[in-house]
Amino acid sequence: KGNFPNDCPWYSLNDLSIQESIDKNFKPIKNKLPLLIKALKNRCKFIYAEKKEGTWHLHYFLDMKLHDEREYYKIYSGGAPIFNPQPNKNLQTYNWNIPNDLKEFYSIHNGFGEIYDAYYVMPNEDIKVMAEMMDPICKEQNVTPDDYSFSDLQEFYPDGGGNAQCFLRVNDNTNTTVDWDHEVWEISWEMGFFDFINERMSEVDEE
């Protein structure tokens, strides 16, 4: 940061401190993510931008501690903001719109977190309805969940182990999120989107 080129979406952050940059970038949703913003400001040592295959990402290099107290690092990456996201092909297939909370988050970063691994908010082009993967399995095994339909679960936050946080569609309200367990096919822990992100992504240190 300090040398972002003119075509970088975050060019205006060049002359600001790291803490000021975080404040400015997240200002529209600062009241919804206070713990995450505080963690970023306390832990971030470097901010740098990357343009790869025509796509920009902003990277936040964070100090962290491993479970044995050793010093290490974590990198949260965020895609370039989009202000009028449209449902991708998968969402259109299952008659889903993009939940309003997710749209609001995409106006800051289209995708955010440890994007090359797990524990990240998926970008608009990658979010998907669980039915595409799970309905064929249900048909093959002749079993379906008791209290929900896979066509009403939209995955947006994978954990890398097969589980995911998903939006649950209930009576056209799609801003409730639930944890989906891939081993028992159960959903639990209903939370609002911003509550979930604020709590989960502010935990920087390894447990």
Side-chain angles (χ1 to χ4, degrees), residues 9 41 60 67 123 174 176 185 205:
K41 292 171 67 176
Y60 305 80
H67 62 88
T174 59
T176 296
W185 291 16
D205 291 332

Side-chain angles (χ1 to χ4, degrees), residues 1-8 10-18 20-21 24 47 49 58:
K1 196 179 68 63
N3 295 293
F4 292 167
N6 292 344
D7 65 330
C8 176
W10 304 282
Y11 174 77
S12 65
L13 304 182
N14 268 332
D15 295 330
L16 302 179
S17 69
I18 289 175
E20 289 170 339
S21 298
K24 180 175 181 179
I47 294 178
L58 191 69

Side-chain angles (χ1 to χ4, degrees), residues 124-182:
N124 182 45
E125 57 270 22
D126 293 338
I127 54 175
K128 55 185 181 291
V129 178
M130 296 287 291
E132 181 177 70
M133 176 179 68
M134 295 304 300
D135 278 0
I137 297 174
C138 290
K139 184 176 181 180
E140 178 183 334
Q141 298 183 3
N142 194 29
V143 61
T144 57
D146 294 330
D147 53 352
Y148 67 91
S149 169
F150 282 113
S151 62
D152 290 328
L153 286 180
Q154 181 195 117
E155 179 184 2
F156 71 91
Y157 189 91
D159 75 349
N163 308 310
Q165 194 78 8
C166 304
F167 285 100
L168 175 65
R169 181 169 57 185
V170 180
N171 299 326
D172 295 327
N173 178 4
T174 59
N175 273 330
T176 296
T177 80
V178 292
D179 175 74
W180 180 73
D181 189 313
H182 79 287

Side-chain angles (χ1 to χ4, degrees), residues 21-99:
S21 298
I22 293 168
D23 276 336
K24 180 175 181 179
N25 198 38
F26 285 89
K27 183 177 180 179
I29 57 175
K30 67 176 183 178
N31 294 330
K32 298 181 179 182
L33 297 174
L35 296 179
L36 174 58
I37 293 172
K38 181 179 179 180
L40 290 175
K41 292 171 67 176
N42 288 341
R43 299 299 190 96
C44 189
K45 299 302 178 185
F46 306 100
I47 294 178
Y48 58 101
E50 174 190 23
K51 188 177 186 181
K52 184 177 182 181
E53 298 177 354
T55 301
W56 282 101
H57 282 91
L58 191 69
H59 303 289
Y60 305 80
F61 187 99
L62 311 175
D63 280 346
M64 67 168 290
K65 288 187 178 181
L66 300 177
H67 62 88
D68 58 3
E69 297 297 314
R70 284 182 296 160
E71 301 288 338
Y72 202 59
Y73 69 91
K74 178 179 289 186
I75 297 172
Y76 279 171
S77 302
I82 50 176
F83 299 100
N84 187 29
Q86 300 299 312
N88 61 33
K89 185 176 180 180
N90 177 277
L91 269 58
Q92 293 176 36
T93 299
Y94 295 97
N95 298 312
W96 267 81
N97 290 316
I98 303 169

